[in-house]
Amino acid sequence: MNQIDAQHLLSRARAGEVRALARAISIVENREEGRAQLLWAAQQAYGTAFRIGLTGAPGSGKSSLSDALIEVLRNEGRRVAVLAVDPSSPFTGGALLGDRVRMSRHAEDDGVFIRSMSSRGALGGLSRAAWETLLLFDAASFDVVLVETVGVGQSELEVRDVCDLPSCQPRSGDIVQMMKAGIMEIADLFVINKADLPGADRMMAAVRELIQISSTNHGVRPNLLKSIAVQGEGISILWKTLWERYQMMQTDQTLQQKRKQQWAAHVRKAAEEELLRRFQEFLERNKQLLRWTEARDEERSSFDTTIQTLVDAFIHSSTP
Amino acid sequence: MALLEEESHRDALQAAWLEYQKARKRFETVYREHAKERPALFENLSGNTVEPLYGPDEKRSDPTYYLAKIGFPGEYPYTRGVHESMYRGRLWTMRMFAGFGTAEDTNRRFRYLIEQGEGGLSTAFDMPTLMGYDSDDPHSVGEVGREGVAVDSLEDMEQLFDGIDLDQVSTSMTINGPAAIVWAMYLALAEKRGIAWEKLRGTTQNDILKEYIAQKEWIFPPEPSMKLVTDTIEFASQHVPQWNPVSISGYHIREAGSTAVQELAFTLADGFAYVEAALRRGLDVDAFAPRLSFFFNSHLDFFEEIAKLRAARRIWATRMRDRYGAKDPRSWKLRTHVQTAGCSLTAQQPEVNIIRTTTEALAAVLGGCQSLHTNSMDEVLSLPTEKAVRIALRTQQVLAYETGVTHTVDPLAGSYYVEALTDRMEEQAKAYFDKIEEQGGVLACIENGFFQREIADAAYRYQREIEQGERIIVGVNAFTEGNEESIERLKIDPSVERRQIERVKAVRQKRDGWAVQKALEEVQRAARASENLMPALIAAVRVYATEGEIVEALKQVYGTYQERAVI
Amino acid sequence: MERRPIRILIGKVGLDGHDRGAKVLARGLRDAGMEVIYSGLWQTPESLVRMALQEDVDVIGISILSGAHMTIFPRVHDELVRRHAEEILVIGGGIIPPEDAQALIQDKHAAAIFAPGESIETIAGWIREHVPGQRQALKDGA
């Protein structure tokens, strides 16, 4: 695929052709031929969609919240893309992706695009492909992008790296987990969903307390809201709050700053992955090195020297 | 002197137990060292290990245990059955499910079954009716009259029961989401024919909880759905006293892939949830509990199924009396319909299904069911043919009249194995009750996907056991035949859909549109005011408002519901 | 460099809510290393095809137990044709009599229909065998 093909595919995606965007995402996700051209083309259009991150443990109601948010956004005429990320099985690489079930009433709406993505083994829960997919959504001129990830674990840490406004939906019993996972520092907004369930008020109080003792993010404390997503309650206010914060970030330049940082973080991460890939290829090409490693006597050779020798060999091989 | 005698008797007994335990230990050693075992999975369908041999133990040999846990038939805790004489007094009702095509088609099948000596009518509705859509709704395309009869308005109900005396039959209607509406049609029909509601006998399945858990045929969110069920319970207790407003069903939970223990536990938990809802409504427990009935599955694991029914009766009786304070013994009795397991039938060598159904039916009878449906051998392929239905009914007749299993009450009581199994299932069910309560009750467990996940796990385990050959299914993973001859199948006339659509359109033409409009508004008003909806529903169907129209009106008040994905 | 797992959409179309088979199959195919997207209940042919396009799947698997298969498969097929995506493989399962299955395959409304009791391994094997050819056809066509 040359640059012109890539541009063509993206303009079809921008014109609302579902299949063009879907193929573009697959090409990026699978690192198929043409990925670089697509990303370069997408970059030209980069920076229009408002990216909202939604995290929370399974069962906290992320998909219901997405579903309700989509409804509000569509009523305002905004085009919405959703990226729903679920973990893949560490053993088989397979994945079961069922998040879109709760959003199925939007299945026939042209202004909504939902894509499920498996983490494909990415440690943080979000793969590089997730960030790159957001670039494509941008290029396809969506107004709002929702990124859903499972939460508790490490994935929230990465939501910050791809979203303008990460939010979190704690579930009762999650508080300690949240503190451990460092969620309080990451999310800009907390939603207590299922606010009609017993114990919701206690949750509100607990999270409020945590917010007050946690450090502020650019001088702005996280917001705390409640909702009953399945009934659509509290969603308009949630959207209003998100939008206000987004506009504030635009005015005081924090948005641009944040996106620059994300860009840099992404480049760095990609570079790390590239380095690792090349090192693995190098080892693959130089099997004698592995045999040499195995031959070293465990008791007499230093662990560190062995490592050093391997890495040095790699560095020398790549600097002619 | 008497004291001494008693003492020496006790000593002798003690010595005998010691002797027995020694003998048992000896046997176990011999068994471990010498007995040969096939390389098979000695586990029942709930995944519980089955011991090679069961024998007497001190606990169960104690008469106080017998009195407390087993008792006599017709007496608390009803482990041995809900009637004193069971099948010596009256055989179970041989109830066969029927329904396909238009109301006339099903009406003909009903009359045929009555001629064949069947004791009760059981109605299956088509998918659009079950989901609250009229036949001419876009959602109904291709599904009208396929899996059951289409009922759009009172006119279809009139056709369905044409020439059948409503006060002479007991009618069961397998419908859940829109059950209140269809029941309203039946009540309106009786009223039109001048038959007092007090004389009507029958059952509406109306068990919405298991829909969220297993069968997935709901219309509204769980809470308003529960309110509708409670409305019917209240209305029946006041106006239709011989009607069973809810048939609390484990059948579908099992068909969705649960184990027997899960079926037992989840079904009873649902039952208790209905009781609690009715109590919150302010009803007296003894005013409605006697009319709650059950519907269980009977699967292939013979003894486990028998134990399941015995344990169910015991748990229900105990909780109804001790936790909910029921005083009327009728409230303690778990009466149940049983259907053989559709999910145990195979598409391969379908005639073999007759044998599966026979053992499942025998288990249901030995478990003490009140009515029984036997599946037809071809149900896994299509709707049953008349011949297949006849064989299935004959199966029950053979069990009832030829085998002699009906001569004595609860013949398996006292079987070391069956009693041990009954106790274990009771314990495991109670462990589930605790888990459900910890999570906030049945509705919370539906919302968080607990039931759905437990069932999906069990279904997947079962499938893997079959694929890995650990569980043998004849004709599927063993004893297969290459070229299978096909059996005769029932074909649904494709013109059914067109005829039914014409019919519902004609009804809309000739009825009083203004009256319908008013009636639908009244339904909405009553729904918003949280009144009992039954009077408004009956008024609406009386003027030929269609099921779809009423459901739509209610959706505007209650909303709809999409479950979270539990895969 | 290219690492592309097979993606499949497991769908329930129509009013029938019996999802045991669909869910068991979804899990089984996950364990066979595929990325399985589950549609949830009550999809229309239009919504199912739109999902398949958005998710860029190789295969659509439809489970039908309500007897509506002779209506649903042709409608899904027509929708795929309308959206120029007829190379997506459509397979089916549920209660589908052999003669209906034959007719569906003959009319190209489905690529394969699996009978009740068919093992997951067989189905996974069929998919693995047929997806590469379908992908090649897509590349050639594009």
Side-chain angles (χ1 to χ4, degrees):
Chain A
M1 184 183 291
N2 61 30
Q3 200 57 46
I4 297 183
D5 291 338
Q7 230 121 30
H8 181 60
L9 190 64
L10 273 190
S11 57
R12 278 165 56 203
R14 195 174 304 119
E17 199 183 309
V18 174
R19 205 141 194 235
L21 178 56
R23 271 310 299 152
I25 296 172
S26 296
I27 288 170
V28 164
E29 193 186 13
N30 301 321
R31 308 199 173 192
E32 286 172 46
E33 187 235 319
R35 169 176 166 275
Q37 289 83 349
L38 264 176
L39 287 178
W40 177 238
Q43 240 177 292
Q44 325 287 315
Y46 167 45
T48 53
F50 174 19
R51 304 166 185 174
I52 302 168
L54 297 170
T55 61
S60 58
K62 289 183 300 294
S63 304
S64 304
L65 198 66
S66 294
D67 175 66
L69 261 175
I70 295 172
E71 185 71 16
V72 170
L73 291 167
R74 291 301 295 147
N75 287 338
E76 292 189 3
R78 296 178 204 269
R79 296 180 67 223
V80 192
V82 181
L83 182 66
V85 183
D86 268 327
S88 54
S89 152
F91 305 108
T92 65
L96 261 182
L97 311 169
D99 286 337
R100 61 180 309 142
V101 170
R102 277 235 158 153
M103 295 174 256
S104 60
R105 66 172 155 154
H106 305 290
E108 286 176 59
D109 181 349
D110 279 325
V112 181
F113 186 102
I114 301 167
R115 177 70 173 232
S116 316
M117 187 174 273
S118 116
S119 60
R120 295 203 181 162
L123 266 183
L126 277 182
S127 60
R128 253 168 81 189
W131 191 78
E132 294 168 354
T133 300
L134 299 196
L135 293 187
L136 296 175
F137 282 155
D138 260 353
S141 58
F142 283 95
D143 301 309
V144 179
V145 176
L146 305 174
V147 184
E148 267 186 39
T149 62
V150 207
V152 184
Q154 297 176 322
S155 62
E156 308 87 344
L157 295 173
E158 290 212 357
V159 148
R160 178 180 47 179
D161 299 333
V162 301
C163 287
D164 303 325
L165 237 167
S167 74
C168 173
Q169 287 169 268
R171 210 179 42 168
S172 56
D174 281 351
I175 301 279
V176 178
Q177 276 294 345
M178 284 166 55
M179 291 179 68
K180 272 197 213 151
I183 272 281
M184 302 310 298
E185 281 74 44
I186 288 150
D188 288 334
L189 193 141
F190 291 87
V191 189
I192 308 294
N193 192 21
K194 304 181 187 175
D196 52 339
L197 288 187
D201 289 340
R202 250 201 340 261
M203 275 289 291
M204 283 289 280
V207 175
R208 186 174 295 126
E209 204 166 304
L210 277 176
I211 287 176
Q212 271 155 7
I213 58 168
S214 66
S215 59
T216 60
N217 197 353
H218 312 295
V220 187
R221 284 204 185 278
N223 298 82
L224 175 62
L225 295 168
K226 58 181 174 181
S227 69
I228 309 172
V230 287
Q231 290 167 31
E233 275 176 39
I235 305 301
S236 296
I237 296 173
L238 169 63
W239 169 240
K240 204 171 143 250
T241 311
L242 286 165
W243 186 242
E244 275 168 10
R245 284 198 72 144
Y246 182 61
Q247 282 177 316
M248 204 162 76
M249 286 167 74
Q250 272 180 320
T251 328
D252 68 8
Q253 301 287 311
T254 43
L255 181 69
Q256 288 80 342
Q257 216 179 335
K258 197 168 191 174
R259 290 209 167 173
K260 252 187 198 151
Q261 283 166 0
Q262 287 176 350
W263 161 256
H266 182 71
V267 168
R268 188 184 143 157
K269 209 173 156 220
E272 282 170 5
E273 279 178 29
E274 180 62 19
L275 201 59
L276 182 64
R277 188 187 62 79
R278 287 201 201 168
F279 180 61
Q280 280 163 346
E281 267 178 18
F282 165 76
L283 287 182
E284 213 36 49
R285 275 199 313 274
N286 300 281
K287 289 239 162 64
Q288 77 280 7
L289 276 173
L290 285 175
R291 282 196 294 275
W292 170 80
T293 314
E294 280 160 20
R296 303 255 299 171
D297 190 329
E298 188 175 31
E299 279 167 25
R300 270 175 296 171
S301 323
S302 145
F303 194 52
D304 282 2
T305 336
T306 314
I307 294 170
Q308 209 55 54
T309 315
L310 270 185
V311 173
D312 285 347
F314 170 61
I315 290 171
H316 288 307
S317 78
S318 48
T319 48
Chain B
M1 196 57 203
L3 205 69
L4 260 180
E5 236 170 63
E6 205 173 282
E7 207 165 289
S8 73
H9 176 71
R10 219 173 31 233
D11 287 348
L13 200 63
Q14 196 69 30
W17 273 116
L18 283 175
E19 192 64 28
Y20 162 73
Q21 261 145 18
K22 253 180 18 208
R24 170 141 194 128
K25 276 226 173 66
R26 177 193 53 77
F27 173 80
E28 279 167 5
T29 316
V30 170
Y31 188 90
R32 241 192 339 270
E33 287 167 6
H34 303 292
K36 283 201 185 75
E37 283 192 347
R38 287 177 293 116
L41 189 68
F42 294 106
E43 247 180 30
N44 63 23
L45 285 178
S46 292
N48 286 318
T49 310
V50 178
E51 301 298 329
L53 196 77
Y54 289 81
D57 62 22
E58 268 180 281
K59 186 181 89 181
R60 290 195 189 87
S61 305
D62 188 336
T64 55
Y65 169 88
Y66 180 86
L67 289 172
K69 301 286 280 184
I70 299 175
F72 293 94
E75 289 177 19
Y76 184 89
Y78 304 101
T79 310
R80 303 200 64 177
V82 291
H83 303 302
E84 290 78 8
S85 58
M86 286 304 287
Y87 306 133
R88 284 173 73 106
R90 190 171 158 266
L91 289 169
W92 64 90
T93 306
M94 299 176 196
R95 200 188 279 280
M96 305 295 285
F97 205 45
F100 59 89
T102 62
E104 284 95 334
D105 300 329
T106 303
N107 179 263
R108 264 195 301 279
R109 179 71 72 101
F110 276 168
R111 292 177 185 215
Y112 169 80
L113 287 169
I114 290 172
E115 277 165 32
Q116 293 296 307
E118 192 183 306
L121 301 179
S122 184
T123 324
F125 297 91
D126 71 353
M127 283 306 306
T129 307
L130 293 174
M131 295 300 292
Y133 294 111
D134 286 340
S135 297
D136 57 348
D137 190 287
H139 287 94
S140 307
V141 179
E143 314 216 28
V144 177
R146 283 214 161 267
E147 278 204 306
V149 59
V151 172
D152 294 314
S153 72
L154 180 57
E155 186 172 288
D156 297 317
M157 197 59 99
E158 289 163 0
Q159 283 289 347
L160 189 58
F161 292 98
D162 186 40
I164 296 169
D165 297 327
L166 294 188
D167 50 357
Q168 296 301 313
V169 291
S170 138
T171 304
S172 144
M173 289 187 269
T174 303
I175 191 159
N176 296 280
I181 301 169
V182 171
W183 189 43
M185 289 183 191
Y186 194 78
L187 296 177
L189 175 65
E191 187 186 66
K192 232 178 136 179
R193 293 200 190 156
I195 297 163
W197 288 345
E198 289 79 20
K199 288 189 183 160
L200 297 180
R201 286 179 301 121
T203 305
T204 32
Q205 192 168 82
N206 200 21
D207 171 11
I208 201 67
L209 291 173
K210 65 92 175 51
E211 294 300 333
Y212 298 106
I213 293 174
Q215 190 172 238
K216 316 295 168 84
E217 288 165 13
W218 64 79
I219 297 173
F220 312 113
E223 286 201 15
S225 293
M226 270 305 268
K227 184 234 174 244
L228 267 175
V229 175
T230 315
D231 284 355
T232 60
I233 294 174
E234 184 178 41
F235 195 82
S237 75
Q238 291 161 353
H239 305 286
V240 203
Q242 295 198 72
W243 196 270
N244 302 316
V246 190
S247 169
I248 305 152
S249 308
Y251 184 80
H252 318 81
I253 292 174
R254 192 64 180 279
E255 290 290 303
S258 83
T259 65
V261 169
Q262 289 167 346
E263 179 195 354
L264 173 68
F266 299 171
T267 309
L268 291 175
D270 288 349
F272 299 136
Y274 293 125
V275 170
E276 285 169 20
L279 291 176
R280 276 197 301 275
R281 179 71 63 96
L283 299 181
D284 174 48
V285 66
D286 288 322
F288 66 85
R291 302 279 10 144
L292 295 177
S293 65
F294 284 80
F295 174 19
F296 283 100
N297 196 300
S298 188
H299 209 288
L300 283 166
D301 199 312
F302 190 70
F303 293 106
E304 188 180 33
E305 294 306 304
I306 296 166
K308 179 181 77 188
L309 295 180
R310 300 175 85 246
R313 281 193 294 269
R314 183 154 80 205
I315 299 169
W316 183 254
T318 312
R319 286 230 165 176
M320 289 309 287
R321 192 187 72 173
D322 298 347
R323 180 180 269 209
Y324 302 113
K327 295 193 179 62
D328 184 343
R330 292 179 310 149
S331 301
W332 305 337
K333 292 183 190 179
L334 179 148
R335 295 165 300 126
T336 188
H337 173 64
V338 172
Q339 181 172 340
T340 56
C343 61
S344 72
L345 304 186
T346 66
Q348 297 82 357
Q349 305 177 36
E351 293 87 347
V352 179
N353 290 330
I354 299 174
I355 301 147
R356 295 194 176 95
T357 299
T358 307
T359 65
E360 291 167 355
L362 180 58
V365 168
L366 292 173
C369 68
Q370 278 56 62
S371 62
L372 178 62
H373 169 105
T374 32
N375 289 324
S376 306
M377 60 172 161
D378 51 0
E379 266 171 68
V380 73
L381 303 166
S382 66
L383 278 172
T385 58
E386 214 151 88
K387 182 178 172 197
V389 172
R390 193 166 55 236
I391 292 173
L393 180 58
R394 296 285 178 259
T395 305
Q396 294 199 41
Q397 290 161 343
V398 168
L399 292 178
Y401 299 106
E402 297 183 14
T403 62
V405 295
T406 55
H407 293 351
T408 188
V409 179
D410 190 24
L412 285 171
S415 146
Y416 305 127
Y417 180 36
V418 170
E419 294 298 357
L421 207 48
T422 306
D423 286 352
R424 183 163 66 182
M425 292 187 89
E426 181 182 7
E427 276 161 33
Q428 292 179 335
K430 284 182 171 164
Y432 264 125
F433 298 156
D434 292 343
K435 261 193 209 166
I436 293 165
E437 251 167 61
E438 273 164 31
Q439 294 173 74
V442 169
L443 282 187
C445 286
I446 284 170
E447 180 56 35
N448 73 22
F450 172 72
F451 296 119
Q452 298 92 313
R453 193 169 308 106
E454 287 284 312
I455 295 170
D457 286 348
Y460 192 51
R461 199 163 54 234
Y462 184 72
Q463 178 70 23
R464 291 196 67 98
E465 284 169 4
I466 291 171
E467 295 212 359
Q468 284 160 9
E470 290 170 7
R471 210 173 269 295
I472 300 291
I473 307 289
V474 172
V476 173
N477 61 357
F479 317 110
T480 52
E481 283 169 17
N483 253 341
E484 298 199 5
E485 53 186 292
S486 64
I487 60 168
E488 186 199 349
R489 286 195 195 88
L490 182 77
K491 294 256 178 4
I492 300 290
D493 177 0
S495 72
V496 163
E497 187 157 319
R498 189 175 40 76
R499 280 188 284 141
Q500 185 62 25
I501 290 174
E502 280 163 13
R503 179 133 108 193
V504 65
K505 289 204 161 128
V507 167
R508 290 211 183 89
Q509 285 289 321
K510 65 184 179 205
R511 68 186 184 182
D512 177 348
W514 190 80
V516 172
Q517 191 52 41
K518 284 284 138 204
L520 291 176
E521 279 165 18
E522 171 59 17
V523 167
Q524 289 189 321
R525 189 205 56 78
R528 288 205 180 89
S530 287
E531 290 172 13
N532 190 315
L533 273 184
M534 285 312 297
L537 292 178
I538 294 166
V541 300
R542 204 186 277 141
V543 294
Y544 295 90
T546 64
E547 190 208 48
E549 290 163 346
I550 297 172
V551 165
E552 194 45 48
L554 284 173
K555 275 183 184 169
Q556 286 169 17
V557 180
Y558 292 145
T560 55
Y561 180 75
Q562 178 68 256
E563 69 170 340
R564 57 182 256 114
V566 177
I567 313 169
Chain C
M1 204 51 183
E2 182 178 327
R3 205 178 62 88
R4 187 174 168 192
I6 291 173
R7 277 170 80 86
I8 176 167
L9 173 65
I10 299 285
K12 290 291 300 176
V13 188
L15 300 176
D16 142 46
H18 296 98
D19 55 6
R20 173 182 183 166
K23 287 184 170 182
V24 166
L25 181 65
R27 281 196 188 200
L29 295 180
R30 186 234 2 228
D31 290 349
M34 300 181 194
E35 291 187 352
V36 185
I37 295 116
Y38 177 58
S39 76
L41 300 172
W42 311 325
Q43 298 308 317
T44 61
E46 292 76 23
S47 66
L48 190 77
V49 167
R50 178 182 276 280
M51 279 183 194
L53 294 182
Q54 290 181 350
E55 300 287 358
D56 195 30
V57 295
D58 304 295
V59 184
I60 301 176
I62 305 175
S63 154
I64 304 178
L65 287 87
S66 68
H69 47 271
M70 294 311 271
T71 314
I72 287 172
F73 280 98
R75 284 181 62 200
V76 169
H77 177 78
D78 291 351
E79 184 64 12
L80 283 170
V81 170
R82 193 176 74 79
R83 308 202 59 156
H84 310 293
E86 61 266 43
E87 78 289 336
I88 296 179
L89 295 168
V90 178
I91 61 176
I95 300 187
I96 301 176
E99 54 272 25
D100 288 357
Q102 245 169 18
L104 288 171
I105 291 168
Q106 225 154 45
D107 298 343
K108 302 225 182 312
H109 292 146
I113 300 285
F114 297 97
E118 201 73 85
S119 74
I120 293 171
E121 216 179 293
T122 311
I123 299 172
W126 188 96
I127 294 171
R128 276 202 208 93
E129 188 185 324
H130 287 79
V131 162
Q134 170 262 351
R135 281 181 178 174
Q136 195 53 48
L138 181 62
K139 262 188 193 158
D140 297 345

